[in-house]
Amino acid sequence: MTRDDARDTDTENGNADGDEQLLVLPDDLRHELKEPMGPIETEADRLLAEVEGPVIAVGDVVTYHLLQAGHRPAVALVDERTEREAVDEEIRQAVTTGASIEVRNPPAELSAPVVRALRRALAADEPTTVLVEGEEDLVALPAIVAAPEGASVVYGQPGEGMVHVKVTDDHRAEMRDLLERFEGDVDRFWDLLESESDDD
């Protein structure tokens, strides 16, 4: 599937915001975010045995391993890259097939379109794949805040495996504190992430 096949961009807003920048990762937070936010698992089957609610997968390789284990995530965010290199064609095809939302999100940022896409995907009745042009890594943070209680957010830890975060109030509070320390329009970010309407 090509990007054109999957294209459902920020069209509900006429893409008027373009790549509207909301938050930028400051240099002093980069080291903190390298620490895993939950236990690391190398086997998808073992990870899935600990899952009790919907799974939000952030990253191509993570999504691929979950699919290979027979589990389609409720939400998958992929960018066709891993550790800044293009993923293998087998992985790319597996994780982008059925992608229904495409957005841009520059590296080390959280843009308005990707926040909207996350909210739309979480609200969807069917499993939803968001294809990100740019980088999807940081979306794990707002995903933990916005995911329902009991959900699991799974993302890749380079060279180690898959980090499994079971969403709790404590995890949400921790992610809120981190996101508040980003640079940019924090108020606008929270408005978009937590608004009840898609017409913001």
Side-chain angles (χ1 to χ4, degrees):
M1 169 177 271
T2 66
R3 290 190 184 278
D4 290 338
D5 294 329
R7 193 169 298 277
D8 177 11
T9 60
D10 243 11
T11 50
E12 76 274 16
N13 298 309
N15 208 23
D17 298 299
D19 299 334
E20 179 190 339
Q21 182 187 90
L22 291 176
L23 300 183
V24 178
L25 176 64
D27 288 340
D28 61 350
L29 267 185
R30 290 176 186 269
H31 180 71
E32 280 187 56
L33 292 182
K34 289 182 179 178
E35 294 298 317
M37 295 181 275
I40 297 175
E41 185 55 78
T42 57
E43 297 293 331
D45 288 332
R46 285 209 298 261
L47 185 153
L48 288 167
E50 300 296 319
V51 166
E52 297 174 355
V55 174
I56 296 91
V58 181
D60 297 63
V61 175
V62 165
T63 300
Y64 178 74
H65 285 308
L66 294 174
L67 290 170
Q68 290 295 101
H71 186 93
R72 184 169 178 81
V75 177
L77 295 113
V78 299
D79 64 4
E80 303 179 327
R81 303 184 76 76
T82 180
E83 299 186 44
R84 304 197 184 279
E85 299 291 333
V87 294
D88 293 342
E89 182 62 17
E90 178 185 349
I91 295 176
R92 190 193 72 78
Q93 287 197 2
V95 303
T96 60
T97 296
S100 56
I101 304 174
E102 180 185 349
V103 292
R104 287 178 55 82
N105 187 68
E109 294 185 18
L110 287 166
S111 67
V114 84
V115 173
R116 286 196 188 91
L118 172 64
R119 285 187 43 240
R120 286 178 58 197
L122 287 169
D125 293 329
E126 301 293 331
T128 302
T129 298
V130 179
L131 181 56
V132 178
E133 183 180 342
E135 194 172 276
E136 90 292 72
D137 300 19
L138 289 178
V139 185
L141 306 183
I144 292 169
V145 174
E149 186 78 15
S152 291
V153 175
V154 183
Y155 69 91
Q157 186 77 3
E160 296 188 55
M162 297 172 283
V163 180
H164 180 196
V165 181
K166 290 187 178 181
V167 176
T168 64
D169 286 340
D170 286 345
H171 278 126
R172 288 195 189 103
E174 185 181 349
M175 294 308 104
R176 281 180 170 278
D177 288 345
L178 278 173
L179 287 161
E180 287 283 344
R181 294 163 60 194
F182 275 56
E183 297 168 354
D185 193 342
V186 177
D187 290 340
R188 173 73 171 150
F189 168 79
W190 291 122
D191 284 347
L192 283 180
L193 186 65
E194 299 177 334
S195 170
E196 294 298 321
S197 169
D198 277 325
D199 298 324
D200 19 58

